[in-house]
Amino acid sequence: MKPIHEALAEVLPAFRPRGVERVSLLEAAGRVLATAPRARVDLPPFDNSAMDGYAARAADLAGASPEAPVTLPVVGESRAGGDAPAALPPGSAMRIFTGAVMPAGADAVVMQEDTERAGDAVAIKVAPSAGRHVRARASDLAAGAELCAGVVLGPGELGLLASQHHAQVSVYRRPRVAILSTGDELLEVSDAPQPGKIVNSNAYALAAQVREAGGEPWILPNCGDRLDAIVELVRAGLRADVLLSVGGVSVGEYDLMSQAFAQAGVTQGFWKVAIKPGKPLSFGVKDEVPVIGLPGNPVSAMVTFEVFVRPGIRQMLGDPQPFRAHGRVRLAHDHRHRTGRTELARARLSRVEGELVADLRRLQGSGSLPSMVGVDAYVVLAADQEAFAADARLPALFVREQAGSPSHPWS
Ligand code: AMP
Ligand code: MG
């Protein structure tokens, strides 16, 4: 049985970006640029005022104070989006508003609060230094600079790209991920309950995981435990960018996935990983398509997806940091597990005196769907250790962004 890190090292190189597409900025959130565009304009594009007030020459205001204000004639105004202002004659001021073009000759803005207007003149009560309250052209960014390479596009990046007149950008394509569920016992979610049958819940859980990771799920029709039918669906699923099968990978007589993969021409890699839940997990490749056989037990399927498939999908999207955050958490109670495999124990987290405390759910069975509700993290229980004492600090994989911090920091 392969340890997790070895299996992951084998799986990840198979997940490579599969092409590039141009999308509008609205669709670009969460994606990564395949080619970084360049700034088209300086930012700011022109010298402009950071305040509502008066543009002037700093030299004309030397020594101005509340006790001895300097009074200047006001010669017109410059407002955001208005006509280009005329040049400012020496010894005068111009009314100006935030974002408006600075008139030639002016080198400072005095904020309105430090002035008193009287008819065509303004009394100025401070002596600004040159450049005060002026946003100088190109002080943030110069035209030609490369933008947003190698980061996941979020609000800040998208705002910057928009400021640079890039209505569309080239990003790595979302991988289409086929989900093939096998088992004679499977019903559709809309079917009525039937004796001996269960709903194919994995398709829904996995589709949600694929989507959360940034991929596009493609749920194939449920397939019974018949080799020829499975082979046919494997062939169909290989038209996707990634093929996930679920169920049929253990050692039972009806576990047909490895035969089906072989018949469909998938080159088989490993078949078992020392992970709990989820030991039977197969990995192979057909042409460029990674093929992962997930175990059928719902918790095993979700946990193995989390460990082996999610980082792969992130990698296909070009994410330079394809892994979730991890960190140490404090165990709330004593805990034991069977040695031999690294266990990912479902946990809810709470924050106690600044530290994340993990409550391992009581139900840790690999088929227990209710135990997956509200999971914040998987606590990693080492394969060679049987007992874990309360207060032990253990590594954990955080699967929820807000894990343990449901409040805001303003109190
Ligand atoms: P298998 O890996 O096919 O041996 O299945 C292991 C367990 O997972 C069995 O109890 C199956 O009934 C269950 N199972 C398999 N596939 C699914 C599925 N798509 N949805 C829910 N449970 C499943
Ligand atoms: Mg089965």
Side-chain angles (χ1 to χ4, degrees):
M1 262 194 302
K2 268 186 193 296
I4 294 175
H5 67 276
E6 277 181 25
L8 193 58
E10 198 171 319
V11 166
L12 278 184
F15 288 83
R16 282 187 297 269
R18 298 289 298 274
V20 168
E21 61 181 347
R22 277 186 84 70
V23 297
S24 76
L25 283 191
L26 283 178
E27 293 166 89
R31 312 287 286 275
V32 177
L33 293 170
T35 43
R38 293 189 178 272
R40 288 188 168 141
V41 293
D42 293 330
L43 208 62
F46 45 87
D47 291 348
N48 72 97
S49 175
M51 291 283 169
D52 292 331
Y54 291 86
R57 283 180 167 74
D60 288 340
L61 298 171
S65 69
E67 296 74 34
V70 171
T71 298
L72 299 175
V74 177
V75 295
E77 74 170 30
S78 179
R79 59 185 180 85
D83 292 339
L88 185 75
S92 63
M94 186 180 288
R95 182 75 172 121
I96 198 165
F97 299 94
T98 305
V101 176
M102 286 290 287
D107 61 4
V109 171
V110 178
M111 57 196 256
Q112 197 165 304
E113 291 83 341
D114 292 328
T115 67
E116 224 158 274
R117 181 75 181 254
D120 288 342
V122 61
I124 293 176
K125 301 187 243 180
V126 295
S129 50
R132 184 78 180 137
H133 298 317
V134 177
R135 300 190 287 214
R137 173 175 184 169
S139 55
D140 288 329
L141 183 75
E146 197 173 86
L147 301 172
C148 307
V151 292
V152 177
L153 298 177
E157 290 78 18
L158 294 168
L160 176 62
L161 289 164
S163 79
Q164 295 303 315
H165 303 257
H166 291 293
Q168 295 198 316
V169 287
S170 295
V171 294
Y172 293 107
R173 209 160 56 66
R174 290 189 189 283
R176 197 155 78 113
V177 181
I179 300 168
L180 165 55
S181 314
T182 66
D184 284 333
E185 71 276 38
L186 298 181
L187 296 175
E188 302 292 342
V189 68
S190 51
D191 290 341
Q194 289 176 37
K197 307 266 184 179
I198 58 167
V199 171
N200 176 3
S201 57
N202 285 343
Y204 290 88
L206 290 168
Q209 284 182 293
V210 168
R211 201 163 268 160
E212 187 275 337
E216 274 174 13
W218 172 31
I219 298 178
L220 294 165
N222 291 353
C223 192
D225 293 310
R226 272 188 27 240
L227 186 60
D228 52 346
I230 298 176
V231 172
E232 199 176 309
L233 276 176
V234 167
R235 291 206 169 102
L238 286 168
R239 291 201 296 269
D241 300 307
V242 177
L243 171 57
L244 302 180
S245 73
V246 57
V249 281
S250 38
V251 291
E253 280 165 48
Y254 296 98
D255 291 331
L256 302 167
M257 284 320 302
S258 47
Q259 284 179 64
F261 287 148
Q263 284 197 22
V266 175
T267 308
Q268 198 58 29
F270 60 78
W271 180 52
K272 275 185 181 171
V273 181
I275 182 174
K276 183 183 176 186
K279 172 172 68 178
L281 177 88
S282 83
F283 165 65
V285 178
K286 163 79 169 145
D287 301 325
E288 290 277 281
V289 180
V291 178
I292 310 267
L294 303 171
N297 270 316
V299 177
S300 308
M302 281 183 258
V303 169
T304 48
F305 179 100
E306 179 61 46
V307 173
F308 296 102
V309 184
R310 189 182 187 279
I313 291 176
R314 295 303 310 162
Q315 211 168 261
M316 292 179 107
L317 283 156
D319 189 342
Q321 284 165 325
F323 302 107
R324 297 255 204 205
H326 67 100
R328 297 228 154 219
V329 297
R330 179 151 63 86
L331 214 52
H333 310 285
D334 292 346
H335 193 79
R336 301 182 83 79
H337 86 146
R338 270 246 294 277
T339 54
R341 288 183 278 159
T342 303
E343 181 169 355
L344 275 71
R346 279 143 270 174
R348 286 212 185 197
L349 300 180
S350 52
R351 201 170 275 276
V352 181
E353 287 156 6
E355 204 177 5
L356 289 171
V357 174
D359 179 8
L360 305 190
R361 317 307 317 283
R362 263 170 312 170
L363 287 170
Q364 292 286 351
S366 57
S368 167
L369 271 170
S371 69
M372 291 299 286
V373 173
V375 168
D376 290 316
Y378 296 114
V379 173
V380 182
L381 305 177
D384 57 1
Q385 189 177 341
E386 188 177 7
F388 301 86
D391 292 334
R393 267 65 169 185
L394 299 178
L397 187 69
F398 301 120
V399 293
R400 237 180 234 241
E401 209 175 329
Q402 299 294 319
S405 305
S407 188
H408 59 69
W410 318 129
S411 50

